[in-house]
Amino acid sequence: DTGVSQNPRHKITKRGQNVTFRCDPISEHNRLYWYRQTLGQGPEFLTYFQNEAQLEKSRLLSDRFSAERPKGSFSTLEIQRTEQGDSAMYLCASSLDFQPFDRPLAEQYFGPGTRLTVT
Amino acid sequence: AQSVTQLDSHVSVSEGTPVLLRCNYSSSYSPSLFWYVQHPNKGLQLLLKYTSAATLVKGINGFEAEFKKSETSFHLTKPSAHMSDAAEYFCVVSSARQLTFGSGTQLTVLP
């Protein structure tokens, strides 16, 4: 059973450096989501893609953050000029969702996350 | 706008006793609701979902939840706790644009 995978699982970087994370969704899933989770909190939505199109971005996603899903399969999340406040678990999820855009989202399947520590 | 309130940040039960994790939601229209579980160093796993069909929803591992529109609640229950149920549980409301997670309830199961 190939679920959602994320790489790397852990990343330690110095403030000011750029980092990139990768997410490989479940193969037939058309939607892919990124979330950020800090200690003691639930995940917070960052952005999502339907196939290769980025359809929604949270206000949490500052200009230093960029996400891509170039061929509608895997996705990357890049953080430029990292800050200590970026330290968090970054979660990726995918879903098979053909609901009209005015209907609630279908259930999502999550990867294990990438833990980022900015020193 | 939508929001989720998990009423207890920590719940402790003895093994074999019932579990109740409380969740209230706010949504501007008929939402979908989910419960997810997160074990240490593992990804979030879907326990169950409500999508406007039956109001009593059965999930995996003996969990179930009841959707009560009048009370805007979606509490999670299990008749008999097992040691392996110890984890963090998240109540989630879905709109057309995103999932909104509660802040989580840490469940401890005492031997």
Side-chain angles (χ1 to χ4, degrees), chain B residues 71-85:
Chain B
E71 298 176 10
T72 60
S73 69
F74 190 57
H75 301 333
L76 182 70
T77 59
K78 182 173 181 177
S80 176
H82 192 272
M83 296 297 290
S84 61
D85 295 328

Side-chain angles (χ1 to χ4, degrees), chain A residues 84-104:
Chain A
Q84 286 187 320
D86 297 331
S87 295
M89 178 76 85
Y90 289 84
L91 298 170
C92 175
S94 69
S95 70
L96 186 64
D97 193 341
F98 296 105
Q99 294 272 48
F101 288 118
D102 61 345
R103 298 293 299 153

Side-chain angles (χ1 to χ4, degrees), chain A residues 37 56 101 103 105 107-108, chain B residues 36 49 94-97:
Chain A
Q37 185 178 21
E56 189 78 23
F101 288 118
R103 298 293 299 153
L105 299 175
E107 65 271 25
Q108 298 172 19
Chain B
Y36 281 84
K49 62 180 180 180
S94 173
S95 71
R97 301 177 66 179

